Amino acid sequence: MNEKIERLKQLVRESDNIVFFGGAGVSTESGIPDFRSVDGLYHQQWKYPPETILSHSFFARDPEEYYRFHRAKLVIEGVKPNRAHLRLAELEREGKLKAVITQNIDGLHQAAGSKHVLELHGSILRAYCSKCRKPFPADVINYGQGVPRCDCGGVIRPDIVLYEEPLDEDILHQAISYIRRADVLIIGGTSLNVYPAAGLINYYRGNKLVLVNLSETPYDSYADLVIHEKIGEVFDQI
Ligand code: APR
């Protein structure tokens, strides 16, 4: 085990107030592509740029095309939590990890057994009517054809934060509160490109900021420990 992972193992061993903040890189080892890596979603050819399709105005303008993209690219059959998800759930059970704050919408942290999960960008496992806000089972949007509609006539949409939409204030405040009080903040599998999520890092007040990410991020120089390795492999060793 290299000295950086040894150091992370020691930080985890010595703390009972760890907070994890993650992104799409946590789920790539479960078979879900991330967004900005070379083979990520934003580099795949589609009728429109994926960042355009995943926006409020596009969803309103062309829900048919949105749902073609959603069912083809966001819904991936048979994905399971990987070693990173499982270890985080174990650290929570051990009373060491206080919360997982995720930008992911795949529900894999909960599937791994994590109870305190803050989904900054929502989840494709929940849906609601955009007009009357009646909740719907996710299968209504994730499978089938065409644009799903509520009996009130409204378009049923996924409970995810599209571009141009605000994050849930309450979730954001909870995330800030956990990060403010964290002893150890572990950030993993995120390029820290998207705000306000990426800005959460600025609320951390401790001196044990760990970054576990395959590629460099704009915050590497702020971290107390940077590990550029696969997060599943790293978490398997701590
Ligand atoms: N282990 C560690 N890091 C990994 C792994 C892995 N197995 N796989 C990928 N990564 C890293 C990549 O190097 C990349 O820096 O994870 C990061 C993923 O970055 P993005 O693809 O930008 O995903 P993310 O940071 O979650 O994007 C944030 O952007 O489009 C929006 O709403 C979307 O939530 C998403 C947000």
Side-chain angles (χ1 to χ4, degrees), residues 91-120:
L91 288 172
E92 182 188 69
R93 284 193 296 273
E94 292 169 2
K96 299 175 92 42
L97 184 109
K98 295 300 175 212
V100 167
I101 300 163
T102 185
Q103 300 169 89
N104 297 346
I105 57 175
D106 56 37
L108 287 179
H109 285 293
Q110 294 92 328
S114 289
K115 300 281 182 261
H116 295 99
V117 181
L118 294 170
E119 293 172 312
L120 294 174

Side-chain angles (χ1 to χ4, degrees), residues 22-29 33-37 40 42 51 54 103-105 121 161 163 188-194 197 212-217 227 229-232:
V26 178
S27 294
T28 52
E29 292 169 65
D34 63 16
F35 294 92
R36 295 174 183 82
S37 287
Y42 291 170
E51 299 96 306
L54 294 170
Q103 300 169 89
N104 297 346
I105 57 175
H121 294 161
V161 178
Y163 278 108
T190 176
S191 62
L192 292 171
N193 259 304
V194 172
V212 182
N213 202 62
L214 270 183
S215 56
E216 273 197 39
T217 77
I227 302 175
E229 291 185 38
K230 292 180 83 169
I231 191 163

Side-chain angles (χ1 to χ4, degrees), residues 136-147:
F136 281 86
D139 287 5
V140 165
I141 59 167
N142 291 339
Y143 302 100
Q145 301 292 324
V147 178

Side-chain angles (χ1 to χ4, degrees), residues 182-235:
D183 169 37
V184 177
L185 175 61
I186 304 174
I187 298 180
T190 176
S191 62
L192 292 171
N193 259 304
V194 172
Y195 287 79
L200 289 176
I201 193 170
N202 299 312
Y203 290 96
Y204 177 62
R205 294 174 171 162
N207 59 356
K208 298 167 195 156
L209 172 61
V210 182
L211 247 174
V212 182
N213 202 62
L214 270 183
S215 56
E216 273 197 39
T217 77
Y219 285 89
D220 279 28
S221 58
Y222 294 86
D224 301 291
L225 176 62
V226 180
I227 302 175
H228 287 314
E229 291 185 38
K230 292 180 83 169
I231 191 163
E233 286 171 14
V234 171
F235 272 51

